[in-house]
Amino acid sequence: MNYRISVGWLLSALALTVQVVTAQTTTSGKQRYTSLQQALFASGQLSGSSGPRNVNWIDGGNRFSYIADQNTIKSLSPKDQKESLIFDGSQLRFPGTSKPFTYDEFQWSKDSKNILFQANFRPVYRRSGISDYYVYSVADKSLKLVAKDAQTAELAPDGRKVGYERGGDLFVFDFATQQETRLTNDAKPAFYNGRFGWAYEEEFGLAQAWYWSPDSKFIAFWQSDERQVPIYRLTDYAGFDETYDSLPYPRVGDKNPTVRIGVIELANQHKEWMNVDLGDGYIPRIYWTSQEGQLALVHLNRKQNHMRLFMTNGRTGAAKQIMEETATKWIDVFDFFANINHLLYFPAGVQEYYWVSDRDGFAHLYRYDYSGKLLNPVTSGKWEVTYVHHIDPKTRKVYFTSTEAAPTERQLFSIDTDGKNKRRLTTVPGKHTVDFSPNGQYFIDQYSNVQTPTQVELRDVSGKLIKTLETNESVKQYIAGHTYAPKELTSFTTSDGQKIDISIIRPIDFDPTKKYPVMLDIYGGPGAQSVYNEFNTQGWHQWLAQQGYVIVGVNNRGSGGYGRDFEKIVYEQLGKYESLDFSETAVYLAKQPWVDGKRIAIRGHSYGGYMSSYTMLTHPGVFRVSLVGAPVTDWRLYDSIYTERYMGLLPENEEKYKASAVTTYAKNLAGKLFVAHSTMDENVHVRNTFQLMKALEDAGKDADLRIYPPGTHRVSYSATSYVLLHQQYTDYLAEHLKGEPAN
């Protein structure tokens, strides 16, 4: 149920469709938005620049490269701030053609001598797609096709080969011999080497199912077998003859994909399987260690509350369990919403590993040796480590981001590996996102807060400013000339004693003597966080503020950043505490003299759609309107990996599943419900919405439904449909929330 809505793919299209209009002005002389479409497009102007594009640290961290424009890649040296041109593709052509060379993404070789370009990308799932890969030599400016129609590709650390997965098998291309070698040859439909199916990719967060060893001698890979997984079919009902897409999709209780881990030694192409029994569980992560040919392997049981760590021998397959952790709830191995793929770290040069665990109630970093012996906790306190950026084995320093300043902030700290000498490196209040150099000498700090648009700075490891890379003066100028409603942070305490952080956007020209309608715009899923001390860039929120709405975000129970008990209270009872907190937020707001307590709406998409519908039905009368996008309405209809992590297994938890289903409470609807979904949603199937509509109809309850057939999980599928969907949301609020005068 991981969903991060992104409208970047629409902004360029919106730019082409926004008409030039005469702007309205306020009494202060600031321009107002003249249309919803104009406001939606303003999201790009409010976001501004995120600084250098596609940063890659090269030369071991002594320089970083960035895209100056689509045809140009430059580098910058933090030491002397010297810029250099690395790649000029303005005259480059695809090999053997007259077609100008274009690319989607790129990666550097470890020695910074070659660039591997990904071109002609064709999406498959959320993170994956089929592409053609070209190697560019920085020295002689040559470009060569090395892999066509590959799903993933990566340069070997020594720069001498490129590995890739194509058609479910693994290959390497050797630059010295200019030859391709096939490493596996047993792929078949729904049976892959070095590739994940939908479920593993979506719910464990990785697209590439294979890794080079640090010495380039081995490749470790997942072999995935989905042949026993049920097939889901979907169509957009276009044309006169229905055509269906299909994918293996395991729902709760279904047969899962089976995987095993293989290691191939490149010198002799010997393949060995790691001797770890999968059982009915998962292998969500593997890691090369600092010892030659040694692979660490993580195993989770199906309930995902029992984790085992194995050290395996890539040449023999021998495996030894070195660590085991059990929990009463679930154990995380990555953090989707913080874009953190790994919570285990195996730094080079030392026989130690580090693990982020919430075993003491808060997520902290622990240090172990290769036998699995705990050496020491590195961090501790009633706050959370959210990201480990760099572990330096030479200086014995760890650099990490945490919530120590506040759960709504992210600040960078350093600490010794023995847990001493903790030091804060970022000082400006707000949410900091850090990109650390691999040599541990520099970092790029991107941050904002409720008053300040994105700032990007280059600093040394002591925190000293080297260079300001972006100030977004254009954003400051924009909001100086346009109406802008900033986000405010506050909190309240629920009736059962829980402090809840919320954000509030007040209407333009706010008058505290008036009463305003309110919309809670929520998500609410486990581990997610909706409220940060960051700059508000959502154009739709600005439009609603201009129309006289209060917009509120909520860090409900279940959110990440507040500790294990706050987050994992939702275990085996999804919906209960989240909906309570949303309802309590509405009750708290209704007590404010400037809020009309009879005109409060709730809106959400994906897990937020589940919550906006579940809250509406389990707390009837609190919300007048609910806007629901792509909702799960019964967790028995969703995928096994995500759902069983939070709800446990069937049949033992059947009653708990019923209690967490929206459809169970259809008879309680009191108010207006608007639901939007797509028939091509491969993530949350439209069956969820149809079953909710059936339950409502059986109960004699009316609701409004909009179907966008070709859309995926976003629902909208183009710039036009994106604007239309938000127009429907906005019109629905205007008719059913603002339609009755405030009391």
Side-chain angles (χ1 to χ4, degrees), residues 429-734:
K431 183 185 179 186
H432 291 254
T433 301
V434 172
D435 187 346
F436 232 89
S437 67
N439 61 7
Q441 297 301 304
Y442 312 102
F443 65 90
I444 296 173
D445 179 22
Q446 180 190 107
Y447 67 91
S448 75
N449 54 48
V450 293
Q451 297 295 332
T452 309
T454 298
Q455 307 291 293
V456 187
E457 298 167 345
L458 174 63
R459 294 183 177 269
D460 68 18
V461 73
S462 71
K464 180 182 177 182
L465 178 66
I466 297 174
K467 183 180 178 66
T468 299
L469 302 175
E470 181 59 70
T471 61
N472 275 308
E473 291 302 316
S474 63
V475 178
K476 297 174 185 177
Q477 293 172 9
Y478 183 81
I479 62 176
H482 293 75
T483 59
Y484 179 74
K487 184 164 57 176
E488 307 168 24
L489 302 183
T490 188
S491 63
F492 73 97
T493 301
T494 64
S495 60
D496 61 348
Q498 179 62 59
K499 179 185 174 183
I500 299 293
D501 287 327
I502 64 174
S503 63
I504 297 175
I505 299 172
R506 299 175 192 257
I508 299 296
D509 300 327
F510 175 74
D511 182 347
T513 67
K514 294 182 178 180
K515 287 184 177 289
Y516 296 96
V518 175
M519 184 187 75
L520 272 62
D521 201 356
I522 54 93
Y523 180 76
Q529 188 171 331
S530 298
V531 177
Y532 292 98
N533 183 8
E534 63 183 349
F535 195 68
N536 177 39
T537 62
Q538 293 195 46
W540 189 46
H541 288 174
Q542 294 302 311
W543 177 254
L544 293 176
Q546 184 175 293
Q547 304 306 307
Y549 294 92
V550 176
I551 304 97
V552 176
V554 184
N555 281 352
N556 53 279
R557 275 171 279 194
S559 299
Y562 291 83
R564 180 189 62 202
D565 294 344
F566 186 93
E567 177 183 350
K568 296 185 177 180
I569 193 174
V570 303
Y571 184 63
E572 293 187 339
Q573 48 188 348
L574 292 182
K576 176 181 176 179
Y577 282 97
E578 307 97 302
S579 64
L580 174 62
D581 289 346
F582 297 138
S583 176
E584 293 266 339
T585 302
V587 171
Y588 163 76
L589 291 167
K591 295 176 182 177
Q592 309 310 306
W594 38 271
V595 168
D596 182 354
K598 295 183 179 180
R599 294 193 294 166
I600 301 181
I602 185 169
R603 178 261 181 182
H605 188 103
S606 192
Y607 197 101
Y610 165 64
M611 287 316 314
S612 59
S613 54
Y614 187 89
T615 305
M616 185 74 169
L617 299 181
T618 56
H619 296 271
V622 175
F623 296 93
R624 176 179 287 191
V625 172
S626 178
L627 302 177
V628 180
V632 170
T633 62
D634 188 323
W635 287 107
R636 289 166 291 191
L637 298 176
Y638 197 57
D639 83 70
S640 57
I641 297 178
Y642 181 94
T643 306
E644 293 168 359
R645 180 187 302 153
Y646 305 120
M647 284 296 297
L649 306 181
L650 292 176
E652 62 193 67
N653 279 6
E654 185 78 33
E655 292 305 312
K656 293 178 180 178
Y657 273 88
K658 291 178 182 178
S660 285
V662 181
T663 49
T664 300
Y665 309 97
K667 66 181 183 299
N668 295 342
L669 179 61
K672 299 298 293 185
L673 184 70
F674 176 100
V675 185
H677 214 142
S678 162
T679 63
M680 290 296 287
D681 187 341
E682 88 294 345
N683 187 338
V684 180
H685 302 158
V686 73
R687 179 194 299 259
N688 285 270
T689 284
F690 290 154
Q691 289 196 6
L692 174 60
M693 297 305 295
K694 172 67 162 50
L696 290 168
E697 291 156 3
D698 286 346
K701 299 293 184 178
D702 188 24
D704 292 279
L705 175 65
R706 297 291 187 277
I707 295 295
Y708 286 62
T712 56
H713 192 44
R714 290 186 179 99
V715 176
S716 60
Y717 54 90
S718 64
T720 300
S721 63
Y722 175 74
V723 174
L724 176 63
L725 178 62
H726 282 80
Q727 188 67 63
Q728 290 170 336
Y729 285 156
T730 306
D731 291 347
Y732 205 79
L733 291 173

Side-chain angles (χ1 to χ4, degrees), residues 63-79:
R63 291 187 296 157
F64 67 83
S65 73
Y66 63 95
I67 297 176
D69 58 51
Q70 183 59 28
N71 289 315
T72 305
I73 299 174
K74 293 183 177 181
S75 71
L76 187 144
S77 167
K79 185 176 182 179

Side-chain angles (χ1 to χ4, degrees), residues 307-492:
M307 185 183 88
R308 294 184 294 159
L309 180 65
F310 295 85
M311 287 295 194
T312 66
N313 186 311
R315 288 193 172 99
T316 68
K320 180 182 180 181
Q321 180 179 308
I322 64 165
M323 188 179 78
E324 185 174 25
E325 181 82 359
T326 59
T328 57
K329 297 177 181 179
W330 71 87
I331 296 173
D332 289 310
V333 296
F334 80 115
D335 186 338
F336 174 89
F337 294 99
N339 199 27
I340 300 169
N341 284 331
H342 304 286
L343 298 178
L344 276 160
Y345 307 89
F346 292 80
V350 290
Q351 294 189 27
E352 299 175 353
Y353 68 92
Y354 295 74
W355 180 39
V356 176
S357 168
D358 66 2
R359 55 168 54 177
D360 77 343
F362 292 86
H364 282 293
L365 187 64
Y366 297 84
R367 173 173 162 245
Y368 296 81
D369 66 19
Y370 275 10
S371 71
K373 177 185 176 182
L374 174 64
L375 299 177
N376 60 270
V378 181
T379 62
S380 62
K382 293 185 177 181
W383 45 269
E384 303 240 296
V385 170
T386 57
Y387 205 122
V388 177
H389 300 283
H390 182 69
I391 300 173
D392 194 324
K394 293 181 180 178
T395 63
R396 310 298 289 172
K397 290 282 187 183
V398 178
Y399 300 89
F400 65 95
T401 298
S402 83
T403 65
E404 185 171 2
T408 54
E409 300 207 356
R410 298 293 184 267
Q411 299 286 347
L412 178 67
F413 292 79
S414 67
I415 195 170
D416 294 347
T417 57
D418 62 5
K420 299 178 181 179
N421 300 314
K422 179 162 63 72
R423 178 169 174 256
R424 181 170 166 175
L425 300 179
T426 52
T427 58
V428 178
K431 183 185 179 186
H432 291 254
T433 301
V434 172
D435 187 346
F436 232 89
S437 67
N439 61 7
Q441 297 301 304
Y442 312 102
F443 65 90
I444 296 173
D445 179 22
Q446 180 190 107
Y447 67 91
S448 75
N449 54 48
V450 293
Q451 297 295 332
T452 309
T454 298
Q455 307 291 293
V456 187
E457 298 167 345
L458 174 63
R459 294 183 177 269
D460 68 18
V461 73
S462 71
K464 180 182 177 182
L465 178 66
I466 297 174
K467 183 180 178 66
T468 299
L469 302 175
E470 181 59 70
T471 61
N472 275 308
E473 291 302 316
S474 63
V475 178
K476 297 174 185 177
Q477 293 172 9
Y478 183 81
I479 62 176
H482 293 75
T483 59
Y484 179 74
K487 184 164 57 176
E488 307 168 24
L489 302 183
T490 188
S491 63
F492 73 97

Side-chain angles (χ1 to χ4, degrees), residues 46-72:
L46 293 171
S47 298
S49 169
S50 58
R53 295 168 52 206
N54 289 67
V55 167
N56 285 266
W57 289 98
I58 59 177
D59 290 345
N62 292 316
R63 291 187 296 157
F64 67 83
S65 73
Y66 63 95
I67 297 176
D69 58 51
Q70 183 59 28
N71 289 315
T72 305

Side-chain angles (χ1 to χ4, degrees), residues 216-248:
S216 304
K217 293 180 179 180
F218 302 88
I219 285 178
F221 67 98
W222 277 264
Q223 185 182 80
S224 303
D225 185 352
E226 297 190 294
R227 289 173 295 180
Q228 301 302 311
V229 176
I231 299 297
Y232 176 67
R233 303 173 74 215
L234 58 169
T235 180
D236 64 0
Y237 299 97
F240 299 101
D241 297 311
E242 289 180 0
T243 58
Y244 288 88
D245 288 347
S246 61
L247 75 158

